[in-house]
Amino acid sequence: MNDERDLPVLIWAISCFDRRRENPLPVYDRWYWLDWAQLAPEQVAEILAIVDASKRNESSHKPVGFEETVVTMSVGSPNYDSHLLKYRELFTEIPGNDLQAFSTDPLRHDRGFQTISVDTEYFEDETGTPISKYEMLQHVSGQEFPIIVGDPETVLKLGPVSAVNIRDWTTQRANTIAQFLDVVERIHASEWYRSPRFVTSLIHKRAGESRLLEAEFPDDEDTMSVLAYFRQLHAVDKLVTKACEAYIAHAGDDRKRWWVNERERSFESLIDAPPAPFNTNGQTRRQIIRMFMYGAGLLHSSSNHGDDAALDAFISHHGKYQAVMIFNSCLMDFFRVAVTIYPVIRQDYYYWINDDGLASASRTSIPDLFQGFTSPPYGA
């Protein structure tokens, strides 16, 4: 059994939305601590395991001197870890929210302190009850159904709406929307989406030098598995634009049409803009993705538009690992917008074909096309 003196003092800053304040936004932090003496041995072991796991996920590279800094640039899919929320009730609020007085208390002066958190957005109200961003916005705006640009959850709260302009609905529009939904689902389920994307470098401030320490990306097979889908989303197919236009033409709610139209314009503005925060000398996401697709021979064996030379120059300027990081960042920028559009269009599309009786897609879906078959036992 652990001696409490050998255990770190765990402190947790929880964001508080206090309705008692005249202006409850922005939220403020309320500090909590864990009294190990009140826990059962199995609870101590479980919490230590969570804390140790989070420490293992930190970079193993550390700066040596004051003039050195370790910088990691990553482009990742959401990786929310909410295991600590299971033990929220075991944490006690620090008196007066005075962290300094608490940390200098003689009872704890010889013990190590460790700040913990959860890798997801978590808020509580003034009573310590969990509260969502949507509930916070409802309180501040005074609206029952406030809409946040780019936040699909706020639009989904409106529920499905019937289609309008039914006479103009076509199987082709159904195919377009179904294809968009299918493509987003395929990317989301891919190994490319789940793979890490990061570059870690050691920067020496005074010398102005940088040394690569580590880099990891989705491999060639995982990248190839999604490239054709991304090409559909943003290139000649313009799948995002066409799906949004088909949806807007039939959505029976002005708020939903406005929201999806904004998402469509946001996606289109990304395509021919340079990727932030990288300095690409004006090269846009479309150009960068194209030079990788064609210049590296990923989709065609040769390039007729100088993409091979452009890719060589791009790698020469940025270095291979930074160049691949920029390429992955461009793809993820596209997907981040497409995946917000997906649930809003999906909610109404299935309502239209299941409840309103609109024609469904006639094209065989990608998963169904390649699905195998096993016959039942003879005589069954």
PDB file of all heavy atoms in Angstrom, residues 175-176 178-184 186-187 226-243 267 271 293-294 299 334 363 366:
ATOM      1  N   ASN A 175     -27.739  10.910 -55.118  1.00  0.00           N
ATOM      2  CA  ASN A 175     -26.431  10.269 -55.313  1.00  0.00           C
ATOM      3  C   ASN A 175     -25.297  11.163 -54.824  1.00  0.00           C
ATOM      4  O   ASN A 175     -24.334  10.687 -54.209  1.00  0.00           O
ATOM      5  CB  ASN A 175     -26.220   9.941 -56.793  1.00  0.00           C
ATOM      6  CG  ASN A 175     -27.004   8.728 -57.256  1.00  0.00           C
ATOM      7  OD1 ASN A 175     -27.394   7.883 -56.443  1.00  0.00           O
ATOM      8  ND2 ASN A 175     -27.255   8.635 -58.551  1.00  0.00           N
ATOM      9  N   THR A 176     -25.404  12.455 -55.103  1.00  0.00           N
ATOM     10  CA  THR A 176     -24.358  13.396 -54.689  1.00  0.00           C
ATOM     11  C   THR A 176     -24.242  13.455 -53.170  1.00  0.00           C
ATOM     12  O   THR A 176     -23.139  13.373 -52.608  1.00  0.00           O
ATOM     13  CB  THR A 176     -24.651  14.801 -55.242  1.00  0.00           C
ATOM     14  OG1 THR A 176     -24.642  14.763 -56.662  1.00  0.00           O
ATOM     15  CG2 THR A 176     -23.619  15.807 -54.751  1.00  0.00           C
ATOM     16  N   ALA A 178     -25.367  11.217 -50.950  1.00  0.00           N
ATOM     17  CA  ALA A 178     -24.960   9.908 -50.434  1.00  0.00           C
ATOM     18  C   ALA A 178     -23.469   9.681 -50.649  1.00  0.00           C
ATOM     19  O   ALA A 178     -22.788   9.103 -49.786  1.00  0.00           O
ATOM     20  CB  ALA A 178     -25.775   8.810 -51.112  1.00  0.00           C
ATOM     21  N   GLN A 179     -22.945  10.122 -51.790  1.00  0.00           N
ATOM     22  CA  GLN A 179     -21.512   9.969 -52.070  1.00  0.00           C
ATOM     23  C   GLN A 179     -20.689  10.793 -51.083  1.00  0.00           C
ATOM     24  O   GLN A 179     -19.671  10.339 -50.565  1.00  0.00           O
ATOM     25  CB  GLN A 179     -21.206  10.398 -53.500  1.00  0.00           C
ATOM     26  CG  GLN A 179     -19.733  10.306 -53.892  1.00  0.00           C
ATOM     27  CD  GLN A 179     -19.274   8.882 -54.124  1.00  0.00           C
ATOM     28  OE1 GLN A 179     -20.076   7.951 -54.046  1.00  0.00           O
ATOM     29  NE2 GLN A 179     -17.998   8.711 -54.396  1.00  0.00           N
ATOM     30  N   PHE A 180     -21.126  12.016 -50.809  1.00  0.00           N
ATOM     31  CA  PHE A 180     -20.425  12.859 -49.831  1.00  0.00           C
ATOM     32  C   PHE A 180     -20.398  12.188 -48.461  1.00  0.00           C
ATOM     33  O   PHE A 180     -19.350  12.114 -47.814  1.00  0.00           O
ATOM     34  CB  PHE A 180     -21.105  14.226 -49.738  1.00  0.00           C
ATOM     35  CG  PHE A 180     -20.661  15.045 -48.567  1.00  0.00           C
ATOM     36  CD1 PHE A 180     -19.406  15.622 -48.526  1.00  0.00           C
ATOM     37  CD2 PHE A 180     -21.501  15.223 -47.468  1.00  0.00           C
ATOM     38  CE1 PHE A 180     -18.980  16.368 -47.431  1.00  0.00           C
ATOM     39  CE2 PHE A 180     -21.096  15.969 -46.369  1.00  0.00           C
ATOM     40  CZ  PHE A 180     -19.834  16.540 -46.354  1.00  0.00           C
ATOM     41  N   LEU A 181     -21.544  11.681 -48.011  1.00  0.00           N
ATOM     42  CA  LEU A 181     -21.600  11.015 -46.714  1.00  0.00           C
ATOM     43  C   LEU A 181     -20.685   9.798 -46.693  1.00  0.00           C
ATOM     44  O   LEU A 181     -19.971   9.548 -45.706  1.00  0.00           O
ATOM     45  CB  LEU A 181     -23.036  10.598 -46.397  1.00  0.00           C
ATOM     46  CG  LEU A 181     -24.080  11.721 -46.313  1.00  0.00           C
ATOM     47  CD1 LEU A 181     -25.459  11.138 -46.041  1.00  0.00           C
ATOM     48  CD2 LEU A 181     -23.712  12.734 -45.244  1.00  0.00           C
ATOM     49  N   ASP A 182     -20.695   9.044 -47.769  1.00  0.00           N
ATOM     50  CA  ASP A 182     -19.873   7.841 -47.865  1.00  0.00           C
ATOM     51  C   ASP A 182     -18.389   8.171 -47.799  1.00  0.00           C
ATOM     52  O   ASP A 182     -17.607   7.528 -47.082  1.00  0.00           O
ATOM     53  CB  ASP A 182     -20.183   7.122 -49.179  1.00  0.00           C
ATOM     54  CG  ASP A 182     -20.023   5.612 -49.077  1.00  0.00           C
ATOM     55  OD1 ASP A 182     -19.646   5.136 -47.993  1.00  0.00           O
ATOM     56  OD2 ASP A 182     -20.291   4.922 -50.075  1.00  0.00           O
ATOM     57  N   VAL A 183     -17.967   9.207 -48.530  1.00  0.00           N
ATOM     58  CA  VAL A 183     -16.557   9.597 -48.570  1.00  0.00           C
ATOM     59  C   VAL A 183     -16.076  10.054 -47.199  1.00  0.00           C
ATOM     60  O   VAL A 183     -14.984   9.678 -46.742  1.00  0.00           O
ATOM     61  CB  VAL A 183     -16.340  10.690 -49.636  1.00  0.00           C
ATOM     62  CG1 VAL A 183     -14.995  11.386 -49.441  1.00  0.00           C
ATOM     63  CG2 VAL A 183     -16.421  10.092 -51.032  1.00  0.00           C
ATOM     64  N   VAL A 184     -16.869  10.875 -46.514  1.00  0.00           N
ATOM     65  CA  VAL A 184     -16.479  11.340 -45.185  1.00  0.00           C
ATOM     66  C   VAL A 184     -16.354  10.161 -44.222  1.00  0.00           C
ATOM     67  O   VAL A 184     -15.412  10.080 -43.420  1.00  0.00           O
ATOM     68  CB  VAL A 184     -17.487  12.372 -44.646  1.00  0.00           C
ATOM     69  CG1 VAL A 184     -17.198  12.714 -43.183  1.00  0.00           C
ATOM     70  CG2 VAL A 184     -17.451  13.642 -45.491  1.00  0.00           C
ATOM     71  N   ARG A 186     -15.622   7.072 -44.983  1.00  0.00           N
ATOM     72  CA  ARG A 186     -14.447   6.272 -45.333  1.00  0.00           C
ATOM     73  C   ARG A 186     -13.171   6.917 -44.809  1.00  0.00           C
ATOM     74  O   ARG A 186     -12.280   6.229 -44.315  1.00  0.00           O
ATOM     75  CB  ARG A 186     -14.375   6.106 -46.850  1.00  0.00           C
ATOM     76  CG  ARG A 186     -15.595   5.473 -47.494  1.00  0.00           C
ATOM     77  CD  ARG A 186     -15.855   4.066 -47.014  1.00  0.00           C
ATOM     78  NE  ARG A 186     -14.889   3.132 -47.568  1.00  0.00           N
ATOM     79  CZ  ARG A 186     -14.847   1.831 -47.246  1.00  0.00           C
ATOM     80  NH1 ARG A 186     -15.689   1.345 -46.365  1.00  0.00           N
ATOM     81  NH2 ARG A 186     -13.962   1.047 -47.793  1.00  0.00           N
ATOM     82  N   ILE A 187     -13.064   8.229 -44.920  1.00  0.00           N
ATOM     83  CA  ILE A 187     -11.872   8.906 -44.395  1.00  0.00           C
ATOM     84  C   ILE A 187     -11.810   8.774 -42.878  1.00  0.00           C
ATOM     85  O   ILE A 187     -10.761   8.498 -42.289  1.00  0.00           O
ATOM     86  CB  ILE A 187     -11.864  10.392 -44.810  1.00  0.00           C
ATOM     87  CG1 ILE A 187     -11.753  10.524 -46.332  1.00  0.00           C
ATOM     88  CG2 ILE A 187     -10.704  11.131 -44.128  1.00  0.00           C
ATOM     89  CD1 ILE A 187     -11.878  11.959 -46.833  1.00  0.00           C
ATOM     90  N   VAL A 226      -6.713   7.168 -48.850  1.00  0.00           N
ATOM     91  CA  VAL A 226      -7.656   8.290 -48.725  1.00  0.00           C
ATOM     92  C   VAL A 226      -7.490   9.359 -49.797  1.00  0.00           C
ATOM     93  O   VAL A 226      -8.338  10.239 -49.912  1.00  0.00           O
ATOM     94  CB  VAL A 226      -7.538   8.972 -47.332  1.00  0.00           C
ATOM     95  CG1 VAL A 226      -7.884   7.993 -46.221  1.00  0.00           C
ATOM     96  CG2 VAL A 226      -6.147   9.563 -47.116  1.00  0.00           C
ATOM     97  N   LEU A 227      -6.433   9.292 -50.578  1.00  0.00           N
ATOM     98  CA  LEU A 227      -6.165  10.370 -51.530  1.00  0.00           C
ATOM     99  C   LEU A 227      -7.288  10.544 -52.551  1.00  0.00           C
ATOM    100  O   LEU A 227      -7.668  11.669 -52.884  1.00  0.00           O
ATOM    101  CB  LEU A 227      -4.837  10.126 -52.249  1.00  0.00           C
ATOM    102  CG  LEU A 227      -3.577  10.594 -51.522  1.00  0.00           C
ATOM    103  CD1 LEU A 227      -2.363  10.404 -52.399  1.00  0.00           C
ATOM    104  CD2 LEU A 227      -3.702  12.055 -51.096  1.00  0.00           C
ATOM    105  N   ALA A 228      -7.798   9.434 -53.075  1.00  0.00           N
ATOM    106  CA  ALA A 228      -8.872   9.548 -54.064  1.00  0.00           C
ATOM    107  C   ALA A 228     -10.117  10.193 -53.451  1.00  0.00           C
ATOM    108  O   ALA A 228     -10.834  10.944 -54.119  1.00  0.00           O
ATOM    109  CB  ALA A 228      -9.207   8.170 -54.628  1.00  0.00           C
ATOM    110  N   TYR A 229     -10.373   9.906 -52.174  1.00  0.00           N
ATOM    111  CA  TYR A 229     -11.522  10.519 -51.493  1.00  0.00           C
ATOM    112  C   TYR A 229     -11.324  12.022 -51.346  1.00  0.00           C
ATOM    113  O   TYR A 229     -12.241  12.814 -51.575  1.00  0.00           O
ATOM    114  CB  TYR A 229     -11.728   9.885 -50.124  1.00  0.00           C
ATOM    115  CG  TYR A 229     -12.043   8.419 -50.173  1.00  0.00           C
ATOM    116  CD1 TYR A 229     -11.442   7.527 -49.289  1.00  0.00           C
ATOM    117  CD2 TYR A 229     -12.953   7.911 -51.094  1.00  0.00           C
ATOM    118  CE1 TYR A 229     -11.741   6.177 -49.330  1.00  0.00           C
ATOM    119  CE2 TYR A 229     -13.249   6.560 -51.137  1.00  0.00           C
ATOM    120  CZ  TYR A 229     -12.642   5.690 -50.248  1.00  0.00           C
ATOM    121  OH  TYR A 229     -12.932   4.359 -50.291  1.00  0.00           O
ATOM    122  N   PHE A 230     -10.110  12.439 -50.956  1.00  0.00           N
ATOM    123  CA  PHE A 230      -9.837  13.870 -50.818  1.00  0.00           C
ATOM    124  C   PHE A 230      -9.923  14.574 -52.169  1.00  0.00           C
ATOM    125  O   PHE A 230     -10.369  15.719 -52.256  1.00  0.00           O
ATOM    126  CB  PHE A 230      -8.465  14.099 -50.179  1.00  0.00           C
ATOM    127  CG  PHE A 230      -8.484  14.065 -48.692  1.00  0.00           C
ATOM    128  CD1 PHE A 230      -7.973  12.981 -47.992  1.00  0.00           C
ATOM    129  CD2 PHE A 230      -9.033  15.109 -47.971  1.00  0.00           C
ATOM    130  CE1 PHE A 230      -8.005  12.941 -46.608  1.00  0.00           C
ATOM    131  CE2 PHE A 230      -9.069  15.084 -46.584  1.00  0.00           C
ATOM    132  CZ  PHE A 230      -8.557  14.001 -45.900  1.00  0.00           C
ATOM    133  N   ARG A 231      -9.487  13.883 -53.203  1.00  0.00           N
ATOM    134  CA  ARG A 231      -9.577  14.464 -54.547  1.00  0.00           C
ATOM    135  C   ARG A 231     -11.033  14.741 -54.912  1.00  0.00           C
ATOM    136  O   ARG A 231     -11.352  15.759 -55.524  1.00  0.00           O
ATOM    137  CB  ARG A 231      -8.935  13.518 -55.563  1.00  0.00           C
ATOM    138  CG  ARG A 231      -8.789  14.102 -56.961  1.00  0.00           C
ATOM    139  CD  ARG A 231      -8.024  13.126 -57.853  1.00  0.00           C
ATOM    140  NE  ARG A 231      -7.795  13.679 -59.169  1.00  0.00           N
ATOM    141  CZ  ARG A 231      -8.654  13.601 -60.193  1.00  0.00           C
ATOM    142  NH1 ARG A 231      -9.827  12.998 -60.016  1.00  0.00           N
ATOM    143  NH2 ARG A 231      -8.366  14.125 -61.366  1.00  0.00           N
ATOM    144  N   GLN A 232     -11.925  13.841 -54.534  1.00  0.00           N
ATOM    145  CA  GLN A 232     -13.347  14.057 -54.788  1.00  0.00           C
ATOM    146  C   GLN A 232     -13.871  15.263 -54.008  1.00  0.00           C
ATOM    147  O   GLN A 232     -14.681  16.046 -54.512  1.00  0.00           O
ATOM    148  CB  GLN A 232     -14.159  12.817 -54.401  1.00  0.00           C
ATOM    149  CG  GLN A 232     -13.962  11.618 -55.303  1.00  0.00           C
ATOM    150  CD  GLN A 232     -14.845  10.460 -54.896  1.00  0.00           C
ATOM    151  OE1 GLN A 232     -16.030  10.631 -54.632  1.00  0.00           O
ATOM    152  NE2 GLN A 232     -14.269   9.262 -54.839  1.00  0.00           N
ATOM    153  N   LEU A 233     -13.406  15.415 -52.777  1.00  0.00           N
ATOM    154  CA  LEU A 233     -13.928  16.490 -51.935  1.00  0.00           C
ATOM    155  C   LEU A 233     -13.615  17.873 -52.486  1.00  0.00           C
ATOM    156  O   LEU A 233     -14.481  18.760 -52.472  1.00  0.00           O
ATOM    157  CB  LEU A 233     -13.369  16.372 -50.515  1.00  0.00           C
ATOM    158  CG  LEU A 233     -13.859  15.205 -49.649  1.00  0.00           C
ATOM    159  CD1 LEU A 233     -13.178  15.259 -48.289  1.00  0.00           C
ATOM    160  CD2 LEU A 233     -15.376  15.243 -49.476  1.00  0.00           C
ATOM    161  N   HIS A 234     -12.371  18.080 -52.980  1.00  0.00           N
ATOM    162  CA  HIS A 234     -11.959  19.448 -53.263  1.00  0.00           C
ATOM    163  C   HIS A 234     -11.604  19.737 -54.708  1.00  0.00           C
ATOM    164  O   HIS A 234     -11.606  20.905 -55.121  1.00  0.00           O
ATOM    165  CB  HIS A 234     -10.744  19.805 -52.403  1.00  0.00           C
ATOM    166  CG  HIS A 234      -9.431  19.333 -52.952  1.00  0.00           C
ATOM    167  ND1 HIS A 234      -9.011  18.034 -52.828  1.00  0.00           N
ATOM    168  CD2 HIS A 234      -8.463  19.986 -53.647  1.00  0.00           C
ATOM    169  CE1 HIS A 234      -7.831  17.895 -53.399  1.00  0.00           C
ATOM    170  NE2 HIS A 234      -7.478  19.059 -53.911  1.00  0.00           N
ATOM    171  N   ALA A 235     -11.285  18.719 -55.498  1.00  0.00           N
ATOM    172  CA  ALA A 235     -10.791  18.974 -56.855  1.00  0.00           C
ATOM    173  C   ALA A 235     -11.946  19.095 -57.837  1.00  0.00           C
ATOM    174  O   ALA A 235     -12.997  19.645 -57.511  1.00  0.00           O
ATOM    175  CB  ALA A 235      -9.795  17.889 -57.264  1.00  0.00           C
ATOM    176  N   VAL A 236     -11.773  18.551 -59.035  1.00  0.00           N
ATOM    177  CA  VAL A 236     -12.750  18.761 -60.100  1.00  0.00           C
ATOM    178  C   VAL A 236     -14.146  18.291 -59.704  1.00  0.00           C
ATOM    179  O   VAL A 236     -15.158  18.901 -60.074  1.00  0.00           O
ATOM    180  CB  VAL A 236     -12.285  18.041 -61.386  1.00  0.00           C
ATOM    181  CG1 VAL A 236     -13.317  18.214 -62.497  1.00  0.00           C
ATOM    182  CG2 VAL A 236     -10.927  18.591 -61.837  1.00  0.00           C
ATOM    183  N   ASP A 237     -14.241  17.207 -58.933  1.00  0.00           N
ATOM    184  CA  ASP A 237     -15.549  16.685 -58.525  1.00  0.00           C
ATOM    185  C   ASP A 237     -16.329  17.677 -57.661  1.00  0.00           C
ATOM    186  O   ASP A 237     -17.562  17.666 -57.663  1.00  0.00           O
ATOM    187  CB  ASP A 237     -15.380  15.374 -57.753  1.00  0.00           C
ATOM    188  CG  ASP A 237     -14.926  14.237 -58.649  1.00  0.00           C
ATOM    189  OD1 ASP A 237     -14.984  14.412 -59.880  1.00  0.00           O
ATOM    190  OD2 ASP A 237     -14.526  13.187 -58.128  1.00  0.00           O
ATOM    191  N   LYS A 238     -15.611  18.485 -56.869  1.00  0.00           N
ATOM    192  CA  LYS A 238     -16.234  19.487 -55.992  1.00  0.00           C
ATOM    193  C   LYS A 238     -17.377  18.875 -55.169  1.00  0.00           C
ATOM    194  O   LYS A 238     -18.473  19.424 -55.073  1.00  0.00           O
ATOM    195  CB  LYS A 238     -16.775  20.669 -56.813  1.00  0.00           C
ATOM    196  CG  LYS A 238     -15.697  21.463 -57.528  1.00  0.00           C
ATOM    197  CD  LYS A 238     -16.297  22.667 -58.248  1.00  0.00           C
ATOM    198  CE  LYS A 238     -15.218  23.510 -58.902  1.00  0.00           C
ATOM    199  NZ  LYS A 238     -15.788  24.689 -59.600  1.00  0.00           N
ATOM    200  N   LEU A 239     -17.095  17.734 -54.561  1.00  0.00           N
ATOM    201  CA  LEU A 239     -18.147  16.989 -53.881  1.00  0.00           C
ATOM    202  C   LEU A 239     -18.731  17.754 -52.697  1.00  0.00           C
ATOM    203  O   LEU A 239     -19.947  17.716 -52.464  1.00  0.00           O
ATOM    204  CB  LEU A 239     -17.613  15.622 -53.428  1.00  0.00           C
ATOM    205  CG  LEU A 239     -18.632  14.645 -52.856  1.00  0.00           C
ATOM    206  CD1 LEU A 239     -19.783  14.406 -53.830  1.00  0.00           C
ATOM    207  CD2 LEU A 239     -17.956  13.322 -52.482  1.00  0.00           C
ATOM    208  N   VAL A 240     -17.888  18.448 -51.932  1.00  0.00           N
ATOM    209  CA  VAL A 240     -18.399  19.223 -50.801  1.00  0.00           C
ATOM    210  C   VAL A 240     -19.348  20.311 -51.293  1.00  0.00           C
ATOM    211  O   VAL A 240     -20.466  20.477 -50.777  1.00  0.00           O
ATOM    212  CB  VAL A 240     -17.248  19.843 -49.986  1.00  0.00           C
ATOM    213  CG1 VAL A 240     -17.790  20.852 -48.981  1.00  0.00           C
ATOM    214  CG2 VAL A 240     -16.463  18.764 -49.261  1.00  0.00           C
ATOM    215  N   THR A 241     -18.915  21.054 -52.297  1.00  0.00           N
ATOM    216  CA  THR A 241     -19.742  22.143 -52.834  1.00  0.00           C
ATOM    217  C   THR A 241     -21.062  21.616 -53.389  1.00  0.00           C
ATOM    218  O   THR A 241     -22.145  22.162 -53.109  1.00  0.00           O
ATOM    219  CB  THR A 241     -18.973  22.891 -53.933  1.00  0.00           C
ATOM    220  OG1 THR A 241     -17.815  23.499 -53.357  1.00  0.00           O
ATOM    221  CG2 THR A 241     -19.836  23.973 -54.562  1.00  0.00           C
ATOM    222  N   LYS A 242     -20.999  20.559 -54.183  1.00  0.00           N
ATOM    223  CA  LYS A 242     -22.211  20.030 -54.805  1.00  0.00           C
ATOM    224  C   LYS A 242     -23.179  19.446 -53.773  1.00  0.00           C
ATOM    225  O   LYS A 242     -24.394  19.598 -53.892  1.00  0.00           O
ATOM    226  CB  LYS A 242     -21.841  18.973 -55.838  1.00  0.00           C
ATOM    227  CG  LYS A 242     -21.149  19.550 -57.070  1.00  0.00           C
ATOM    228  CD  LYS A 242     -20.760  18.457 -58.060  1.00  0.00           C
ATOM    229  CE  LYS A 242     -20.089  19.049 -59.299  1.00  0.00           C
ATOM    230  NZ  LYS A 242     -19.659  17.992 -60.245  1.00  0.00           N
ATOM    231  N   ALA A 243     -22.646  18.780 -52.737  1.00  0.00           N
ATOM    232  CA  ALA A 243     -23.513  18.217 -51.693  1.00  0.00           C
ATOM    233  C   ALA A 243     -24.192  19.334 -50.911  1.00  0.00           C
ATOM    234  O   ALA A 243     -25.389  19.246 -50.593  1.00  0.00           O
ATOM    235  CB  ALA A 243     -22.705  17.321 -50.763  1.00  0.00           C
ATOM    236  N   PHE A 267     -15.140  26.089 -46.672  1.00  0.00           N
ATOM    237  CA  PHE A 267     -14.375  25.031 -47.343  1.00  0.00           C
ATOM    238  C   PHE A 267     -13.754  25.565 -48.633  1.00  0.00           C
ATOM    239  O   PHE A 267     -12.567  25.331 -48.899  1.00  0.00           O
ATOM    240  CB  PHE A 267     -15.285  23.841 -47.650  1.00  0.00           C
ATOM    241  CG  PHE A 267     -14.560  22.665 -48.244  1.00  0.00           C
ATOM    242  CD1 PHE A 267     -13.943  21.735 -47.428  1.00  0.00           C
ATOM    243  CD2 PHE A 267     -14.495  22.494 -49.621  1.00  0.00           C
ATOM    244  CE1 PHE A 267     -13.259  20.652 -47.972  1.00  0.00           C
ATOM    245  CE2 PHE A 267     -13.812  21.426 -50.178  1.00  0.00           C
ATOM    246  CZ  PHE A 267     -13.206  20.495 -49.350  1.00  0.00           C
ATOM    247  N   ILE A 271      -9.410  26.019 -50.033  1.00  0.00           N
ATOM    248  CA  ILE A 271      -8.800  25.291 -51.151  1.00  0.00           C
ATOM    249  C   ILE A 271      -7.665  26.082 -51.787  1.00  0.00           C
ATOM    250  O   ILE A 271      -6.557  25.564 -51.978  1.00  0.00           O
ATOM    251  CB  ILE A 271      -9.868  24.942 -52.202  1.00  0.00           C
ATOM    252  CG1 ILE A 271     -10.915  24.003 -51.601  1.00  0.00           C
ATOM    253  CG2 ILE A 271      -9.213  24.296 -53.432  1.00  0.00           C
ATOM    254  CD1 ILE A 271     -12.089  23.710 -52.516  1.00  0.00           C
ATOM    255  N   MET A 293       0.171  14.411 -55.086  1.00  0.00           N
ATOM    256  CA  MET A 293      -0.590  13.384 -55.791  1.00  0.00           C
ATOM    257  C   MET A 293       0.061  13.011 -57.126  1.00  0.00           C
ATOM    258  O   MET A 293       0.213  11.833 -57.453  1.00  0.00           O
ATOM    259  CB  MET A 293      -2.007  13.890 -56.058  1.00  0.00           C
ATOM    260  CG  MET A 293      -2.924  13.874 -54.846  1.00  0.00           C
ATOM    261  SD  MET A 293      -4.594  14.416 -55.306  1.00  0.00           S
ATOM    262  CE  MET A 293      -5.495  14.045 -53.801  1.00  0.00           C
ATOM    263  N   TYR A 294       0.461  14.042 -57.898  1.00  0.00           N
ATOM    264  CA  TYR A 294       0.966  13.795 -59.237  1.00  0.00           C
ATOM    265  C   TYR A 294       2.489  13.836 -59.303  1.00  0.00           C
ATOM    266  O   TYR A 294       3.098  13.053 -60.036  1.00  0.00           O
ATOM    267  CB  TYR A 294       0.371  14.821 -60.205  1.00  0.00           C
ATOM    268  CG  TYR A 294      -1.137  14.802 -60.208  1.00  0.00           C
ATOM    269  CD1 TYR A 294      -1.872  15.957 -59.945  1.00  0.00           C
ATOM    270  CD2 TYR A 294      -1.839  13.621 -60.441  1.00  0.00           C
ATOM    271  CE1 TYR A 294      -3.259  15.939 -59.932  1.00  0.00           C
ATOM    272  CE2 TYR A 294      -3.227  13.597 -60.435  1.00  0.00           C
ATOM    273  CZ  TYR A 294      -3.926  14.757 -60.186  1.00  0.00           C
ATOM    274  OH  TYR A 294      -5.301  14.731 -60.160  1.00  0.00           O
ATOM    275  N   LEU A 299      -1.080   9.097 -57.870  1.00  0.00           N
ATOM    276  CA  LEU A 299      -2.309   8.823 -58.608  1.00  0.00           C
ATOM    277  C   LEU A 299      -2.063   8.599 -60.093  1.00  0.00           C
ATOM    278  O   LEU A 299      -2.877   7.973 -60.760  1.00  0.00           O
ATOM    279  CB  LEU A 299      -3.311   9.971 -58.420  1.00  0.00           C
ATOM    280  CG  LEU A 299      -3.903  10.131 -57.019  1.00  0.00           C
ATOM    281  CD1 LEU A 299      -4.976  11.203 -57.018  1.00  0.00           C
ATOM    282  CD2 LEU A 299      -4.502   8.819 -56.515  1.00  0.00           C
ATOM    283  N   PHE A 334      -9.057  20.274 -44.837  1.00  0.00           N
ATOM    284  CA  PHE A 334     -10.249  19.961 -45.625  1.00  0.00           C
ATOM    285  C   PHE A 334     -11.211  19.077 -44.835  1.00  0.00           C
ATOM    286  O   PHE A 334     -12.421  19.296 -44.831  1.00  0.00           O
ATOM    287  CB  PHE A 334      -9.860  19.256 -46.920  1.00  0.00           C
ATOM    288  CG  PHE A 334      -9.198  20.147 -47.938  1.00  0.00           C
ATOM    289  CD1 PHE A 334      -8.546  19.614 -49.032  1.00  0.00           C
ATOM    290  CD2 PHE A 334      -9.226  21.532 -47.806  1.00  0.00           C
ATOM    291  CE1 PHE A 334      -7.943  20.427 -49.976  1.00  0.00           C
ATOM    292  CE2 PHE A 334      -8.623  22.360 -48.748  1.00  0.00           C
ATOM    293  CZ  PHE A 334      -7.976  21.799 -49.835  1.00  0.00           C
ATOM    294  N   ARG A 363     -27.040   4.765 -56.768  1.00  0.00           N
ATOM    295  CA  ARG A 363     -25.699   4.200 -56.932  1.00  0.00           C
ATOM    296  C   ARG A 363     -25.370   3.262 -55.774  1.00  0.00           C
ATOM    297  O   ARG A 363     -25.698   3.540 -54.618  1.00  0.00           O
ATOM    298  CB  ARG A 363     -24.677   5.329 -56.982  1.00  0.00           C
ATOM    299  CG  ARG A 363     -23.229   4.873 -57.105  1.00  0.00           C
ATOM    300  CD  ARG A 363     -22.284   6.052 -57.039  1.00  0.00           C
ATOM    301  NE  ARG A 363     -22.424   6.916 -58.199  1.00  0.00           N
ATOM    302  CZ  ARG A 363     -21.970   8.156 -58.252  1.00  0.00           C
ATOM    303  NH1 ARG A 363     -21.393   8.692 -57.191  1.00  0.00           N
ATOM    304  NH2 ARG A 363     -22.131   8.878 -59.338  1.00  0.00           N
ATOM    305  N   ILE A 366     -19.985   2.397 -51.657  1.00  0.00           N
ATOM    306  CA  ILE A 366     -18.641   1.816 -51.707  1.00  0.00           C
ATOM    307  C   ILE A 366     -18.539   0.549 -50.849  1.00  0.00           C
ATOM    308  O   ILE A 366     -18.058  -0.484 -51.325  1.00  0.00           O
ATOM    309  CB  ILE A 366     -17.592   2.860 -51.274  1.00  0.00           C
ATOM    310  CG1 ILE A 366     -17.601   4.046 -52.244  1.00  0.00           C
ATOM    311  CG2 ILE A 366     -16.190   2.243 -51.235  1.00  0.00           C
ATOM    312  CD1 ILE A 366     -16.771   5.234 -51.785  1.00  0.00           C
TER     313      ILE A 366
END
